[in-house]
Amino acid sequence: MRKALTTMELPQWIKNLTDPAFTKTFREEPKDTLLPPFGYKPIIITDTHSDKLKVKNSANTAISLQNINQLQTQKAWQIAFGPARSIPMNFVMSYMSGTSLQIIPIMTTLMMLVGPIKALFGIATAFKPVLGNKDIEGQVRVAMVIYVLGQGALMFIGIRKLNQMGLLPNTTSDWLAWEKLVDYNKGIESYSF
């Protein structure tokens, strides 16, 4: 078996690939004679300084800048609607966890509060891919406001759940220790018969 492999003739393309003299025989085509790649559209722009026509790549023109701005705007809105997409899930989770004072409902409720607070402090990090472009700065600011409103809605679900569980001190019975005792019998003499 080994003998058959050593006596086998190498194909011509392998010999040509390893031969430096063969690669020197190729002539280089001028760039003007090559066909443009599929999908390439050269744009002819007149130069204002020399009144000459110039051909530029479509990747370097205002059209591609508009595409980049459009993509960054779409990304900003995608980030902005992220919290709004999780509102139904969090609402169903808060409903299904019940109102009993157990560790699981309390922890899920606290996570509904802590998550949006962390997200609000990290809003610059969340929008970092789209910040810095002056062309779409106004749209990014509006998207940031929508993001804050979505996080606020998530926090509202958590606060509502804490209220249902009775963990928010919003009734007078929660504050009895700090109320002053009112003596209604002060100044009234009582007689016993």
Side-chain angles (χ1 to χ4, degrees):
M1 189 72 165
R2 275 188 171 166
K3 194 170 190 181
L5 286 177
T6 56
T7 60
M8 189 169 86
E9 180 80 23
L10 289 175
Q12 186 62 36
W13 67 271
I14 294 177
K15 291 179 184 176
N16 292 342
L17 186 65
T18 57
D19 186 16
F22 181 76
T23 57
K24 290 180 183 177
T25 61
F26 289 121
R27 71 180 171 91
E28 189 174 326
E29 292 287 331
K31 292 179 184 177
D32 296 338
T33 61
L34 294 175
L35 294 174
F38 180 73
Y40 175 82
K41 294 177 185 173
I43 296 177
I44 300 172
I45 300 174
T46 59
D47 190 8
T48 57
H49 298 294
S50 63
D51 294 332
K52 292 182 181 177
L53 293 178
K54 288 187 176 181
V55 177
K56 290 191 172 184
N57 294 342
S58 60
N60 294 332
T61 62
I63 294 171
S64 67
L65 185 61
Q66 289 174 353
N67 290 340
I68 289 172
N69 289 344
Q70 184 180 11
L71 287 174
Q72 284 184 337
T73 304
Q74 287 177 354
K75 180 67 175 172
W77 284 107
Q78 184 180 22
I79 294 168
F81 285 120
R85 280 188 233 120
S86 63
I87 288 173
M89 179 194 63
N90 282 329
F91 188 73
V92 169
M93 254 179 33
S94 73
Y95 174 76
M96 296 299 279
S97 64
T99 58
S100 62
L101 292 178
Q102 296 175 355
I103 191 73
I104 300 297
I106 292 172
M107 291 304 291
T108 56
T109 305
L110 290 177
M111 284 172 36
M112 279 186 222
L113 288 174
V114 171
I117 291 171
K118 283 183 182 179
L120 288 177
F121 282 116
I123 193 168
T125 308
F127 282 91
K128 188 176 182 179
V130 294
L131 285 176
N133 189 347
K134 299 216 183 285
D135 296 336
I136 61 166
E137 187 175 350
Q139 293 175 345
V140 172
R141 297 285 181 211
V142 173
M144 288 173 125
V145 170
I146 299 297
Y147 182 81
V148 169
L149 291 175
Q151 297 295 350
L154 290 174
M155 286 173 53
F156 174 75
I157 293 171
I159 290 171
R160 182 180 161 274
K161 182 67 174 180
L162 283 176
N163 189 31
Q164 285 178 344
M165 294 164 89
L167 294 175
L168 291 181
N170 58 1
T171 60
T172 54
S173 63
D174 295 325
W175 302 98
L176 285 179
W178 291 279
E179 285 190 9
K180 291 183 179 179
L181 184 61
V182 178
D183 187 14
Y184 292 106
N185 293 327
K186 186 177 182 181
I188 298 177
E189 295 179 20
S190 65
Y191 300 102
S192 60
F193 297 102

